[in-house]
Amino acid sequence: MIANYLTGLLKGDIRSLSRCISIVENESAGFEELLEKLPGANSTKIVGITGPPGAGKSTLVNELIQSLLKVGKKVAIIAVDPSSPFNMGALLGDRIRMSQHFNSPNVYIRSLASRGALGGLSPKIIEIAEVVKAAHFDYLFIETVGVGQSEVDIAGIADTSIVVLVPEAGDEIQTMKAGLMEIANIFVVNKSDRPTADTFVKNLRLLAHTKRSESWEIPVIKSIATRGVGIDAIIEAINKHQEALEQIPARKALLLTDKLYQLIQYRRMHDINKLELLNVVKEELEKGNFNLYKMVKSFVN
Amino acid sequence: MIANYLTGLLKGDIRSLSRCISIVENESAGFEELLEKLPGANSTKIVGITGPPGAGKSTLVNELIQSLLKVGKKVAIIAVDPSSPFNMGALLGDRIRMSQHFNSPNVYIRSLASRGALGGLSPKIIEIAEVVKAAHFDYLFIETVGVGQSEVDIAGIADTSIVVLVPEAGDEIQTMKAGLMEIANIFVVNKSDRPTADTFVKNLRLLAHTKRSESWEIPVIKSIATRGVGIDAIIEAINKHQEALEQIPARKALLLTDKLYQLIQYRRMHDINKLELLNVVKEELEKGNFNLYKMVKSFVN
């Protein structure tokens, strides 16, 4: 069975891809065999898109897909919203409509729900991305909501991380966006027809300039996703960033090391279910004289 | 040796406490024995203080300590700044001066540097907090910088999490502070003599009100730390929140479960050094045909 799915996957068959992702997502029988048999090398560009809710990420991704499809590219999208099950439904609805609209073998769209108690959405996305890569897509977009407590570490998954922002008061850039600033390879200022856009972009460019490295200066791109403005510039920036990455072989090894670490951690913690752990803690608390480290030891040795 | 330190620690001897923390911090010989012999029950209030850089957290903590010392309380402070080694030095300098100023057996101040490659500052702070609790402090303040990428999860360590903000443009509250909003049990708006303070506080109160639970409505407290304004109100809010926690026994079990999970993960990943992992990845990449999952397996089975 796995062999058949794998053959289909390597040919780029969409139904095989769907099946393979489900097997990995649910850790169904054979998922380890499947993951071990994936070919190593590939040329899929993995692009993470994150930013606060309401920044227009979905619309932007839709426009990017359309532009890439027009020039004959194969594009996959994984949409993740771990923080909001409600939003998830809405997102999924959008995607289904979008999917029908495209109705093309060159586009594949998948929504991922939060894994909750199973712990760790990032490792699961890394595994799924490996599956998508095997189906020879040119681009894989991974879209997440970028808030502080998000369990998805997009910078640990994507080759290129895009942070989408909307124009707001300039002085907040200094403080609250520190987390997003650290992971951005490309900034997109969406809804850039808002009156405060120019000041915002100017401040962001100044800040981005201080973060430049020898091989990459973070571009700040203005877009109006609802009108398709800025889309080509974003695609150009993605391609340029991927070229820049090729110049730094160490960067690739670092990213892989980070992924490997996340996956090892995920597997090593796989037998720990937080709900069961809670029950053990409650029992121990009732007994009295609770010692945290003794409990740790009972799960480690 | 450990037995001697432990006896001193349980008596509240500051030098024994320092020594015990160093043993745990550096995982010196006997650290496991020490952790296992800590008494379980205690009544130390663990208070996390976080917020963006420049919000005045250090000044605020200093004022809180002074007020608590005046009423005969024993107070410990752990100051953490994993993101900025430069700031760390400055912070440490402040603390040393502060420590000399107090020169009291009722206050203990410790700065923690980032563990970097050793991975995971949060589990280390949890272990150190257990040590501090054994020395019968009334309060333990853990001060961190609250940015998105911080490796310290203050809500997973503290009983009461205080988020310190400064008045800024009101509309940003909606988007960028989502992460801080989730963890706050108490909001402090410091530098509240700024002209935009009232609007900011009003908006924050509206938002906090939507997050209220049956047992707790998140208070928004105005302070001017440099002039000691609002300090008593903050202490009162901390005490009230701790009383509210006592009413929900499940909350304690949940927090302990979260700590236990973090510590199990830390111990299980203890043999993995990211730098060594990077070298293994580089070797495998040179061999060609890199398969991520095969590598994971070699570290799991």
Side-chain angles (χ1 to χ4, degrees):
Chain A
M1 277 308 258
I2 293 294
N4 289 348
Y5 291 138
L6 196 62
T7 310
L9 176 71
L10 297 179
K11 282 187 196 147
D13 173 54
I14 293 291
R15 265 190 298 181
S16 299
L17 172 62
S18 269
R19 193 77 201 96
C20 286
I21 290 181
S22 294
I23 289 169
V24 169
E25 188 183 7
N26 303 315
E27 306 196 348
S28 312
F31 85 95
E32 289 176 303
E33 187 193 339
L34 175 64
L35 287 171
E36 277 182 60
K37 285 188 174 156
L38 294 175
N42 74 85
S43 57
T44 306
K45 295 174 171 69
I46 304 188
V47 181
I49 300 209
T50 193
K57 293 183 297 298
S58 300
T59 315
L60 200 68
V61 171
N62 293 358
E63 289 296 319
L64 289 169
I65 298 163
Q66 280 187 301
S67 280
L68 289 166
L69 285 175
K70 272 183 203 155
V71 292
K73 300 293 181 187
K74 275 190 75 173
V75 190
I77 303 100
I78 295 175
V80 190
D81 187 352
S83 57
S84 160
F86 177 75
N87 232 341
M88 196 63 223
L91 197 64
L92 192 57
D94 285 351
R95 298 304 171 158
I96 289 167
R97 280 191 294 282
M98 195 174 87
S99 176
Q100 285 165 342
H101 173 65
F102 287 128
N103 197 21
S104 153
N106 285 335
V107 64
Y108 178 77
I109 298 158
R110 181 95 173 199
S111 288
L112 279 188
S114 173
R115 305 294 299 179
L118 266 175
L121 192 52
S122 284
K124 200 38 81 188
I125 298 173
I126 293 171
E127 288 177 352
I128 289 172
E130 293 295 306
V131 175
V132 172
K133 282 154 73 177
H136 307 293
F137 280 89
D138 294 302
Y139 294 84
L140 165 59
F141 289 95
I142 300 168
E143 181 192 326
T144 64
V145 171
V147 288
Q149 296 294 301
S150 169
E151 59 173 310
V152 178
D153 168 23
I154 200 73
I157 302 170
D159 303 313
T160 301
S161 294
I162 300 182
V163 172
V164 183
L165 301 169
V166 281
E168 294 167 290
D171 72 338
E172 69 165 305
I173 297 179
Q174 301 292 341
T175 52
M176 299 308 299
K177 293 201 177 70
L180 291 175
M181 178 54 78
E182 296 308 320
I183 65 161
N185 303 122
I186 296 168
F187 277 113
V188 171
V189 177
N190 196 27
K191 306 185 185 179
S192 63
D193 48 348
R194 286 191 182 175
T196 50
D198 285 342
T199 313
F200 186 81
V201 167
K202 200 181 117 198
N203 289 343
L204 198 55
R205 279 196 179 130
L206 283 172
L207 202 56
H209 187 66
T210 66
K211 300 271 177 182
R212 73 190 182 285
S213 70
E214 212 171 296
S215 54
W216 187 249
E217 169 141 6
I218 307 163
V220 178
I221 300 170
K222 287 161 86 169
S223 72
I224 310 166
T226 50
R227 286 196 266 137
V229 173
I231 301 304
D232 291 343
I234 297 169
I235 292 171
E236 198 188 320
I238 293 170
N239 293 338
K240 269 195 187 164
H241 182 252
Q242 298 269 339
E243 279 166 32
L245 287 182
E246 293 298 318
Q247 311 301 316
I248 330 160
R251 173 64 174 66
K252 189 184 177 187
L254 275 171
L255 186 63
L256 279 173
T257 302
D258 194 35
K259 289 182 183 182
L260 181 59
Y261 187 90
Q262 288 186 63
L263 291 174
I264 294 169
Q265 182 167 281
Y266 178 65
R267 286 289 149 219
R268 286 189 177 182
M269 292 301 283
H270 208 256
D271 60 311
I272 307 271
N273 176 313
K274 277 201 177 174
L275 285 177
E276 287 170 19
L277 208 59
L278 177 62
N279 288 331
V280 178
V281 166
K282 280 179 182 166
E283 277 172 33
E284 283 297 311
L285 278 174
E286 276 167 25
K287 284 185 207 161
N289 203 25
F290 186 93
N291 179 292
L292 202 53
Y293 200 74
K294 269 186 203 153
M295 291 205 66
V296 174
K297 262 188 89 174
S298 71
F299 286 97
V300 173
N301 292 335
Chain B
M1 275 307 258
I2 295 293
N4 288 347
Y5 291 138
L6 196 62
T7 310
L9 176 71
L10 296 179
K11 282 186 196 151
D13 174 54
I14 292 289
R15 265 190 298 182
S16 299
L17 172 62
S18 269
R19 193 76 200 96
C20 286
I21 290 180
S22 294
I23 289 169
V24 169
E25 187 182 9
N26 304 314
E27 306 196 347
S28 311
F31 86 95
E32 289 176 302
E33 185 192 340
L34 174 64
L35 287 172
E36 279 181 60
K37 286 188 175 157
L38 295 176
N42 74 84
S43 57
T44 306
K45 295 175 173 67
I46 304 188
V47 181
I49 300 208
T50 193
K57 292 183 296 299
S58 299
T59 315
L60 200 68
V61 171
N62 293 357
E63 290 296 318
L64 289 170
I65 298 164
Q66 280 187 300
S67 280
L68 289 166
L69 285 175
K70 272 182 203 155
V71 292
K73 300 294 180 186
K74 275 190 76 173
V75 190
I77 303 99
I78 295 175
V80 190
D81 188 351
S83 57
S84 159
F86 177 76
N87 232 342
M88 195 62 223
L91 197 65
L92 190 59
D94 284 351
R95 298 305 170 157
I96 289 166
R97 280 191 295 281
M98 197 175 85
S99 175
Q100 286 166 342
H101 173 65
F102 287 127
N103 197 22
S104 152
N106 286 335
V107 64
Y108 179 77
I109 298 158
R110 181 94 174 202
S111 288
L112 279 189
S114 173
R115 306 293 298 179
L118 267 174
L121 193 51
S122 284
K124 200 38 80 188
I125 299 173
I126 293 171
E127 288 176 352
I128 289 172
E130 294 294 305
V131 175
V132 173
K133 282 153 74 176
H136 307 292
F137 280 88
D138 295 302
Y139 294 84
L140 165 58
F141 289 96
I142 300 169
E143 181 191 326
T144 64
V145 172
V147 286
Q149 295 295 300
S150 170
E151 58 173 312
V152 178
D153 168 24
I154 201 73
I157 302 171
D159 303 313
T160 301
S161 294
I162 301 181
V163 172
V164 183
L165 301 170
V166 281
E168 293 168 290
D171 71 338
E172 69 164 308
I173 297 178
Q174 302 293 342
T175 51
M176 299 310 298
K177 293 204 175 70
L180 291 174
M181 177 54 76
E182 295 308 319
I183 65 162
N185 303 122
I186 297 167
F187 277 114
V188 171
V189 177
N190 196 28
K191 306 184 183 177
S192 63
D193 48 349
R194 286 191 183 177
T196 51
D198 286 342
T199 312
F200 186 81
V201 167
K202 201 181 116 199
N203 289 342
L204 198 54
R205 279 195 180 130
L206 283 172
L207 202 57
H209 188 65
T210 66
K211 300 270 178 184
R212 74 192 182 283
S213 69
E214 211 171 296
S215 54
W216 188 247
E217 169 141 7
I218 308 163
V220 177
I221 300 169
K222 287 162 86 169
S223 73
I224 310 164
T226 50
R227 286 195 266 137
V229 173
I231 302 304
D232 291 343
I234 296 169
I235 292 171
E236 199 189 321
I238 293 170
N239 294 339
K240 270 195 184 162
H241 183 252
Q242 298 270 340
E243 279 165 32
L245 286 183
E246 294 297 318
Q247 312 301 316
I248 330 161
R251 173 65 173 67
K252 189 183 178 187
L254 274 170
L255 185 64
L256 279 172
T257 302
D258 194 36
K259 288 182 183 181
L260 181 58
Y261 188 91
Q262 288 186 63
L263 291 173
I264 294 169
Q265 181 168 282
Y266 178 64
R267 285 291 150 218
R268 285 190 178 182
M269 293 301 283
H270 208 257
D271 60 313
I272 306 270
N273 177 312
K274 276 203 178 173
L275 285 178
E276 286 169 20
L277 207 59
L278 178 62
N279 289 330
V280 179
V281 166
K282 279 180 182 164
E283 277 171 35
E284 283 298 310
L285 278 174
E286 275 167 27
K287 284 185 204 159
N289 203 24
F290 186 93
N291 178 294
L292 202 53
Y293 200 74
K294 269 187 204 156
M295 292 204 65
V296 174
K297 262 189 88 174
S298 72
F299 286 96
V300 173
N301 293 334

